[in-house]
Amino acid sequence: MTVHSQGAATSAPQDAPQKSVGVAKTSPPAGAQAAPKSPRGGRKSLPAGWWPYLLVGPAVLSMAGLLLYPLIKNIILSFQTVDKIEFIQRKAPFAGLDNYTQLLGDSQFWTVVVRSFAFTAANVALIMIIGSLIGILLNKLGKWMRLVLSMALVMAWAMPIVASVTVFQWLFDEQFGVMNWLMRTLGFSGYDQHNWFGTGFSTLVIVTVLVVWGSIPFVALNMYAGLTTVSGELYEAARMDGANGWQTFWKVVFPNLKSFFLVTTFLEVIWVFKAFTQVYAMKAGGPDRGSEILPVFAYVEGQSQFHYGLAAAISVLTILMLVIVMSFYFRLILKQEEEQ
């Protein structure tokens, strides 16, 4: 092969030996550009930047149809008066801000709001603490014990909510419950047919145990997965510096898994705050509506009291409260990304 001064290469004859030793490869001139290859069939392909949007498009449209449309209809309903009579007559007169004014001036609504936030805070704190400890335990156990504990966690996590509620109702049953039998066996008096669901507070305590029991596996398994990414050299360095277990956690584990704790806490707050099935299936928000949280409060007002416009306003305010609470976590996550 010979190379001309302009940089264009001409091929050697076919009977010439194919030798590449000593042949210099030259790049085309700076001003020359390779001719673009036309796609097969002469059709123009879409720009590369459009492909992500085309792939995500069906999912976005499905979410808009399933979530955005009902949300807009719910917001419109919150500005209308739709009670039992209006529902039968198929009328929806415009009420302006009357539903919101009625709610914000109702002491029962604010009692449910405080109860919902206290319920969420207690559950999330217990879930994160116990789940993180079990995750650390999984990291310390041997292979077979880790497998047994992981299977137990997965089975607890996979149990349907209504089935788990039924089991807890049996455990705390007034006449044949295991808890009454256990308390009597331990020598405590006053637990002969004791009603564990006698007050709203005691009912929420039992619901808290149920929610924590069902949510711990998610945190524990994710905590164990995160711990496997922490280098063993960091633990060794901490031991050489004389750090105990608590100091190792705060100086080694927590800084490396800070994003895990932020995201997991964020998810748990959302899941617990909107917990409906556990509370309603346990006692339907009773007794005397003393265990209602915001989702149950909205459902009871709409389906039991036939105040559909008022129930829609409750759900809209619930969403706004959750967005405000979550904004703080978004700020923390964005701040952490900027630091990294």
Side-chain angles (χ1 to χ4, degrees):
M1 178 179 293
T2 60
V3 180
H4 298 287
S5 59
Q6 288 83 1
T10 59
S11 59
Q14 294 183 357
D15 55 350
Q18 300 293 330
K19 294 184 179 180
S20 59
V21 179
V23 179
K25 294 183 179 180
T26 59
S27 59
Q33 294 182 355
K37 296 181 179 179
S38 60
R40 185 176 298 178
R43 293 177 298 178
K44 294 183 179 180
S45 61
L46 291 172
W50 283 94
W51 280 110
Y53 299 100
L54 291 177
L55 294 175
V56 177
V60 173
L61 293 177
S62 300
M63 294 294 289
L66 295 174
L67 297 179
L68 186 61
Y69 176 75
L71 178 62
I72 295 175
K73 293 290 291 184
N74 188 70
I75 294 174
I76 296 173
L77 181 60
S78 67
F79 293 101
Q80 297 172 337
T81 299
V82 182
D83 294 333
K84 190 174 183 179
I85 297 176
E86 288 79 8
F87 182 78
I88 295 174
Q89 296 177 348
R90 297 182 179 274
K91 296 181 179 179
F94 182 73
L97 298 175
D98 291 347
N99 291 327
Y100 294 96
T101 304
Q102 180 180 348
L103 281 175
L104 297 177
D106 187 3
S107 59
Q108 183 181 3
F109 170 74
W110 290 109
T111 301
V112 174
V113 170
V114 174
R115 184 187 300 139
S116 300
F117 278 97
F119 175 78
T120 302
N123 277 272
V124 172
L126 291 173
I127 290 169
M128 293 303 299
I129 293 173
I130 301 175
S132 299
L133 292 176
I134 295 178
I136 295 173
L137 178 63
L138 284 171
N139 193 44
K140 298 292 184 181
L141 290 175
K143 177 181 178 180
W144 292 107
M145 287 302 299
R146 183 188 302 124
L147 178 62
V148 172
L149 181 56
S150 298
M151 291 178 60
L153 291 172
V154 170
M155 286 189 292
W157 191 19
M159 180 175 289
I161 296 177
V162 176
S164 61
V165 170
T166 304
V167 172
F168 271 73
Q169 287 175 338
W170 290 344
L171 291 174
F172 293 93
D173 184 71
E174 183 176 351
Q175 185 173 3
F176 303 105
V178 175
M179 290 304 300
N180 280 337
W181 170 82
L182 179 62
M183 298 300 288
R184 291 194 304 268
T185 303
L186 295 176
F188 293 96
S189 60
Y191 287 93
D192 187 13
Q193 296 187 356
H194 174 71
N195 185 11
W196 292 89
F197 301 100
T199 63
F201 177 77
S202 62
T203 302
L204 279 181
V205 170
I206 298 174
V207 174
T208 298
V209 177
L210 171 62
V211 173
V212 172
W213 172 80
S215 301
I216 281 176
F218 174 78
V219 179
L221 294 174
N222 280 277
M223 180 68 178
Y224 168 67
L227 288 173
T228 58
T229 64
V230 180
S231 175
E233 297 177 355
L234 298 177
Y235 293 107
E236 185 66 25
R239 283 193 294 267
M240 293 180 63
D241 291 338
N244 55 28
W246 183 253
Q247 292 172 336
T248 302
F249 176 81
W250 280 111
K251 299 297 182 180
V252 176
V253 176
F254 185 78
N256 285 277
L257 300 182
K258 189 175 181 180
S259 59
F260 157 77
F261 286 107
L262 287 176
V263 174
T264 306
T265 304
F266 166 75
L267 294 175
E268 291 296 336
V269 169
I270 294 177
W271 291 338
V272 175
F273 195 81
K274 65 182 184 65
F276 169 81
T277 308
Q278 296 92 332
V279 179
Y280 189 81
M282 187 68 72
K283 208 64 179 177
D288 298 327
R289 306 187 68 174
S291 63
E292 288 181 350
I293 58 176
L294 281 170
V296 179
F297 183 58
Y299 181 83
V300 172
E301 285 294 328
Q303 298 298 323
S304 299
Q305 305 297 324
F306 303 104
H307 300 153
Y308 300 103
L310 192 65
I314 296 171
S315 63
V316 171
L317 290 176
T318 302
I319 295 173
L320 290 177
M321 293 177 189
L322 189 59
V323 169
I324 293 173
V325 173
M326 289 297 97
S327 64
F328 295 101
Y329 283 99
F330 284 128
R331 291 177 59 185
L332 289 175
I333 293 174
L334 292 176
K335 183 179 180 181
Q336 183 184 6
E337 290 182 353
E338 292 176 357
E339 293 176 353
Q340 293 177 352

